[in-house]
Amino acid sequence: LRFIETKTVRALGDVASHRVDVRIMAATNRNLRAEMASRSFRADLFYRLNVITIELPTLRERRADIPRLAGCLVSCSPSGPEERITMDPDALAAMMAYDWPGNLRELHNAVLQAMAMGTGRHIVLGDLPDAVQRALRGRPSERREGSTDLPRLRAGEVSREWIENALARADGNRSVAARVAGLSRSSFYYNLKKYDLG
């Protein structure tokens, strides 16, 4: 508490305190006001930390971000963006249908598993964890057996930045960009038209 208040530290055995220039960022998935009421969290610590509060919605509350986040996780993987790993539309649809109780950490692990389990540079539904696969298979009305096209609702959830990034990575080649984006051609062209990208 003293450190947060004064921004000074004293090394063990030292006689002088030293000022440090730091910013503290703290994160939690708990309701700290409720924790204070039950005396599970110190109020004096809360009020020293609580300068700016940023509420982040869960991943299931911002499903439209999932394609972009998954793409970033693939690009940041050890194989690197030059590998141009793409995602099957059914795999992407499953990821958007799943509730992600573990939020971004769970999404990251699912992407890592898919890349490890896959046989090439294209992630398919079967490469994803079983729980994620079941999210799509549990919604037969949204997917016809054997179909590789995303439902239009899902195509509508893909962001403009996701499409622009795919176009950039494919050097403007739309057929390649559709594969990079993990969308069928019809879904990709639907988004091109929607965002007036040509």
Side-chain angles (χ1 to χ4, degrees):
L1 291 173
R2 188 181 300 112
F3 165 70
I4 295 171
E5 187 72 28
T6 65
K7 300 291 194 306
T8 59
V9 294
R10 182 180 296 179
L12 190 62
D14 200 344
V15 294
S17 294
H18 303 280
R19 187 163 183 81
V20 292
D21 184 14
V22 296
R23 292 185 184 183
I24 298 171
M25 184 179 295
T28 183
N29 61 357
R30 295 177 183 243
N31 182 333
L32 291 185
R33 293 190 184 275
E35 296 278 328
M36 285 191 301
S38 67
R39 298 187 182 275
S40 299
F41 193 86
R42 291 180 57 159
D44 51 358
L45 176 58
F46 173 81
Y47 289 116
R48 278 181 172 87
L49 290 173
N50 188 36
V51 177
I52 299 172
T53 301
I54 302 172
E55 298 281 345
L56 291 177
T58 62
L59 203 49
R60 67 179 167 272
E61 296 175 279
R62 49 192 175 111
R63 294 180 194 273
D65 291 340
I66 291 173
R68 184 172 45 206
L69 289 169
C72 288
L73 292 170
V74 166
S75 298
C76 294
S77 71
S79 34
E82 67 278 356
E83 290 293 321
R84 296 210 174 173
I85 296 171
T86 58
M87 193 171 296
D88 185 78
D90 284 345
L92 185 60
M95 294 174 82
M96 294 181 76
Y98 185 59
D99 279 341
W100 301 105
N103 284 305
L104 191 59
R105 286 187 186 93
E106 187 181 9
L107 175 63
H108 188 195
N109 288 340
V111 168
L112 290 177
Q113 175 180 321
M115 293 173 67
M117 299 297 292
T119 56
R121 292 180 298 195
H122 187 68
I123 295 172
V124 297
L125 182 62
D127 298 332
L128 293 169
D130 291 341
V132 181
Q133 293 182 44
R134 284 195 297 272
L136 181 63
R137 292 180 177 140
R139 301 183 181 193
S141 61
E142 292 183 10
R143 177 180 176 261
R144 289 194 299 271
E145 195 60 39
S147 172
T148 57
D149 194 11
L150 282 174
R152 178 150 291 202
L153 173 64
R154 301 226 180 277
E157 291 177 349
V158 176
S159 69
R160 178 188 182 95
E161 292 84 4
W162 180 258
I163 299 299
E164 287 175 335
N165 182 47
L167 283 167
R169 289 175 65 188
D171 297 323
N173 185 314
R174 294 180 180 185
S175 297
V176 174
R179 290 196 298 275
V180 168
L183 296 172
S184 66
R185 276 184 160 189
S186 60
S187 293
F188 188 78
Y189 282 100
Y190 164 80
N191 279 281
L192 283 178
K193 184 175 180 182
K194 173 184 172 182
Y195 294 121
D196 194 25
L197 294 172

